[in-house]
Amino acid sequence: MANNSLLIVETPSTTCVDSEYLARQQYDIHRCQSASSAFTTASTVSPAVVLVSAFLPDMQLTDFVRVFSRTHKSTVILVMVESQQCQLAADAIGVGASDYLLKPFTDQQLVSAIDQAISLHNPVADLVVSSAASRQVIQLALRAAQTDATVLISGESGTGKERLAQYLHDNSPRSSGPFIAFNCAAIPETMIESMLFGHSKGAYTGAVSSQAGKFELANGGTLMLDEISEMPLPLQAKLLRVLQEREVERLGSNQKVKLDIRIIAATNKNLSQQVAQGLFREDLYYRLDVLPLSWPALRERRDDIIPLTEYFIGKYAPSPGYSICKSAKLALQSHHWPGNVRELENVIQRALIMARGMELQVADLMLPAAIPTQTAPQVEHSAQGLESSKKHAEYQYVLETLKQFSGHKTKTAAALGVTPRALRYKMAAMREQGIEV
């Protein structure tokens, strides 16, 4: 059963949430008027979503979000701000909030934001997310799921791109239809065309019967084209035509089959660089890159490592009761994870085989020895100077990313791991600081 508990943190003078309306929508409501009482209540009720006002009598909003997101990692935080508080909203999202609500908002807008947040709190299948970076990607995926637009998922091998595609499908109006995943790199080049588009009887030597391709099998649902960068150039042209015409023609047949499918493409390469090198068609790239999602590497979302570890222990342990010691958890969090989630899964499977007891130890993990790195000399900074340097570096990174995508805000937001709305707030805050965006 989904957790539908809400914790609303606002003072009587700033109240803007209609608790009675939310209660009629079957939410379990808990109210607090201060940060301290919110922490106490949250430890008891474990809310799915926290709605917090920009004004708290005993704590700064960003401090509250930073601490709450660390102590209640599975709770989604929504901040409520005024229209002139763009910098505050951007800062809150930067330290762990998932999204913001701009006052004044309607009851319907509030319910929509809460429902999306609860979907984050109760993921489907075996998609495990805890870190702020992961939850921001999931939030973007939930929004993309409500459309039929093509999605391009990028990320290193082993990060879980297929799991993310499945999650997107399961949260879409097409969830009752089929989800078909096709790996363009795992199939011999001579067979890809037949398997994707299908063939008629006698279309080629050995075609003793007609066979539907992956496009037809995915009709009414979702087709995921994994490792799309590995598709041969001649087939890219045919794929482009199918995407444009929304119909497919089997090999050896003149009959066209109408398609009603959602396309999700995935790649572990930089497709824009592939286009520049002549390895990928530019027109197909822009056809696929409608809604880009960038799935971070595991080393960039370390808050996911222990939840994933516990999930894999539960999945592969020969019996209930297995756990992992604190030093082993620290070893997992210190590892670089070049193989990402796939490597972590293999490590836990191996550790469960090697373990002599029911608590996994560091030795059971059999991780490669860490390569020592030269430690940079420590430089003392005042708190104010350090914060200014961090803010300058953050703004510089946003500018560089905007430049990389020629000012395209949706692509920039995906690369930064934030929502387009959060990016607009960040850009507005930069303009307030006199930075030309």
Side-chain angles (χ1 to χ4, degrees):
M1 182 176 178
N3 181 355
N4 65 341
S5 61
L6 307 180
L7 176 58
I8 303 167
V9 190
E10 58 181 355
T11 62
S13 61
T14 61
T15 296
C16 61
V17 176
D18 187 346
S19 298
E20 293 183 0
Y21 176 82
L22 292 177
R24 290 195 298 271
Q25 307 305 312
Q26 307 302 310
Y27 295 112
D28 182 17
I29 308 298
H30 303 271
R31 270 194 173 275
C32 295
Q33 297 182 13
S34 66
S36 57
S37 59
F39 284 110
T40 302
T41 304
S43 64
T44 304
V45 302
S46 298
V49 181
V50 168
L51 289 160
V52 56
S53 171
F55 175 76
L56 298 173
D58 55 345
M59 201 173 193
Q60 294 292 324
L61 176 65
T62 49
D63 292 335
F64 174 84
V65 172
R66 182 185 294 106
V67 175
F68 199 99
S69 63
R70 290 175 180 172
T71 55
H72 299 80
K73 294 182 179 179
S74 63
T75 299
V76 180
I77 303 173
L78 300 178
V79 298
M80 301 178 289
V81 298
E82 304 285 350
S83 58
Q84 70 271 20
Q85 294 176 306
C86 57
Q87 178 66 64
L88 184 60
D91 289 345
I93 290 173
V95 296
S98 293
D99 207 346
Y100 68 90
L101 283 160
L102 191 63
K103 298 179 182 180
F105 46 78
T106 66
D107 290 336
Q108 291 74 25
Q109 288 172 329
L110 176 60
V111 168
S112 176
I114 292 172
D115 285 345
Q116 282 196 344
I118 287 179
S119 296
L120 278 174
H121 185 275
N122 300 288
V124 297
D126 52 2
L127 188 65
V128 179
V129 295
S130 180
S131 69
S134 296
R135 282 157 55 174
Q136 286 174 342
V137 175
I138 296 303
Q139 188 176 54
L140 290 171
L142 285 171
R143 293 177 179 178
Q146 304 312 309
T147 74
D148 266 343
T150 302
V151 174
L152 177 62
I153 302 174
S154 59
E156 295 180 7
S157 295
T159 49
K161 296 187 289 295
E162 185 173 337
R163 301 265 173 88
L164 180 60
Q166 178 77 62
Y167 179 86
L168 198 152
H169 168 77
D170 290 344
N171 283 275
S172 75
R174 297 179 175 273
S175 58
S176 59
F179 174 81
I180 305 293
F182 181 80
N183 192 320
C184 301
I187 308 298
E189 186 173 330
T190 54
M191 296 177 59
I192 292 180
E193 185 173 12
S194 174
M195 293 189 68
L196 262 185
F197 305 110
H199 63 261
S200 298
K201 181 180 179 180
Y204 55 85
T205 304
V208 295
S209 62
S210 297
Q211 182 174 319
K214 300 297 183 182
F215 277 102
E216 288 183 64
L217 294 175
N219 235 342
T222 302
L223 174 63
M224 178 193 181
L225 299 174
D226 200 4
E227 305 302 351
I228 188 70
S229 61
E230 303 301 322
M231 178 172 285
L233 279 168
L235 278 185
Q236 291 180 24
K238 188 166 185 178
L239 172 62
L240 178 64
R241 181 171 180 81
V242 171
L243 296 180
Q244 289 173 334
E245 304 298 330
R246 291 288 161 173
E247 58 184 22
V248 67
E249 186 177 303
R250 294 184 185 180
L251 294 177
S253 172
N254 294 324
Q255 192 170 20
K256 299 183 186 297
V257 178
K258 289 290 183 182
L259 297 176
D260 174 25
I261 60 174
R262 180 2 154 14
I263 299 294
I264 300 177
T267 179
N268 62 357
K269 296 181 179 178
N270 187 321
L271 280 192
S272 60
Q273 291 182 1
Q274 297 286 102
V275 170
Q277 297 169 7
L279 302 175
F280 199 84
R281 290 182 63 104
E282 184 176 24
D283 46 7
L284 178 58
Y285 168 63
Y286 288 116
R287 176 67 64 173
L288 296 172
D289 193 36
V290 178
L291 289 172
L293 293 176
S294 180
W295 201 216
L298 186 57
R299 60 184 171 275
E300 297 169 359
R301 45 188 174 107
R302 293 192 178 274
D303 284 347
D304 288 345
I305 293 175
I306 301 307
L308 282 165
T309 296
E310 292 170 346
Y311 168 77
F312 291 135
I313 290 175
K315 180 177 180 180
Y316 294 112
S319 62
Y322 276 78
S323 62
I324 183 168
C325 72
K326 185 175 181 179
S327 57
K329 288 181 179 180
L330 291 173
L332 291 174
Q333 290 177 313
S334 301
H335 187 55
H336 188 62
W337 299 113
N340 291 295
V341 179
R342 186 183 295 126
E343 181 187 2
L344 175 60
E345 184 174 10
N346 293 340
V347 165
I348 299 305
Q349 282 186 272
R350 181 175 64 221
L352 288 167
I353 295 171
M354 302 300 295
R356 296 182 181 181
M358 298 190 70
E359 185 179 58
L360 303 186
Q361 305 295 321
V362 175
D364 300 327
L365 302 175
M366 300 177 65
L367 292 172
I371 301 174
T373 57
Q374 185 176 356
T375 304
Q378 296 287 331
V379 180
E380 292 187 5
H381 295 278
S382 67
Q384 184 177 2
L386 180 59
E387 188 65 31
S388 176
S389 297
K390 288 168 61 180
K391 188 68 65 179
H392 176 76
E394 178 187 1
Y395 288 164
Q396 189 62 37
Y397 182 57
V398 172
L399 287 172
E400 290 174 356
T401 309
L402 278 166
K403 185 177 180 181
Q404 178 185 348
F405 292 102
S406 302
H408 195 292
K409 294 182 182 62
T410 302
K411 295 179 182 178
T412 300
L416 293 172
V418 300
T419 64
R421 187 162 53 173
L423 176 62
R424 288 197 296 271
Y425 258 55
K426 179 69 70 177
M427 292 170 66
M430 292 165 66
R431 291 190 185 98
E432 288 180 359
Q433 298 297 317
I435 300 172
E436 184 177 350
V437 181

